[in-house]
Every structure is written in C-alpha cells, then in structure tokens.
Amino acid sequence: MSRLIALTSCLAVLLVGCSNSADTICDRRKECFDSDLDTGKCADKINAWEEEKESEQDDRRARTAECSECIVDRTCAEVLSFCIDDCFGIP
C-alpha cells in the first residue's frame, strides 16, 4: 500500500511540473514553427517576462494562460489563424 502511495505522489509531482502555460506555448512553438527551439530556455524567457514588472504580473500571467488555452487543442495552421491575438507579444 505504501508503495502505491509513493508512486502516486511521484506521478502527481511530475504531472504538475509539466503542465504550465509557458511549457505549453514553447512545446507548440517547437512543433509548429522552430524544430530547433530550446523549450527550456523559451519557458524561462516567458516566466522571466511574466515576473519582470510587478505592476503587470497578473496581466502577463493571464495573457500567457489565454495563449496556452488557445493553442492547446489546435493544429499548427489553426494556431496561426485563431491564436495570434492571444499570443502576440509573449516572448
């Protein structure tokens, strides 16, 4: 029983760590636009941008979340057509 709890806990940590908006955006950019993109550096850049100006942090986080939500279930062509407004300006 304790083995099952430990396994479940480890899985939960992995899933939470992999499910943030910046990672979603960078993964999609790599898939659709730049196969050589370093997704780790991309996500770090977005996270730094979100934190850059304290007065804009909530707005920037919301913009990142909106972009991520828009692109998550779309094809690459649909991302260009439907998500450009939500994603424009996010580094």
Side-chain angles (χ1 to χ4, degrees), residues 43-76:
D44 289 345
K45 188 174 183 179
I46 292 172
N47 290 327
W49 172 78
E50 288 178 337
E51 300 295 322
E52 187 176 57
K53 292 185 179 179
E54 189 172 337
S55 62
E56 296 179 19
Q57 287 177 352
D58 291 339
D59 179 57
R60 288 180 178 196
R61 287 183 191 128
R63 289 180 56 209
T64 302
E66 288 171 10
C67 175
S68 176
E69 289 173 20
C70 185
I71 66 174
V72 74
D73 289 326
R74 298 190 190 269
T75 66
C76 294

Side-chain angles (χ1 to χ4, degrees), residues 22-23 26-28 30 36-44:
D23 290 338
C26 295
D27 289 343
R28 183 59 92 184
K30 182 173 184 157
D36 295 326
L37 180 70
D38 181 328
T39 55
K41 286 183 181 179
C42 172
D44 289 345

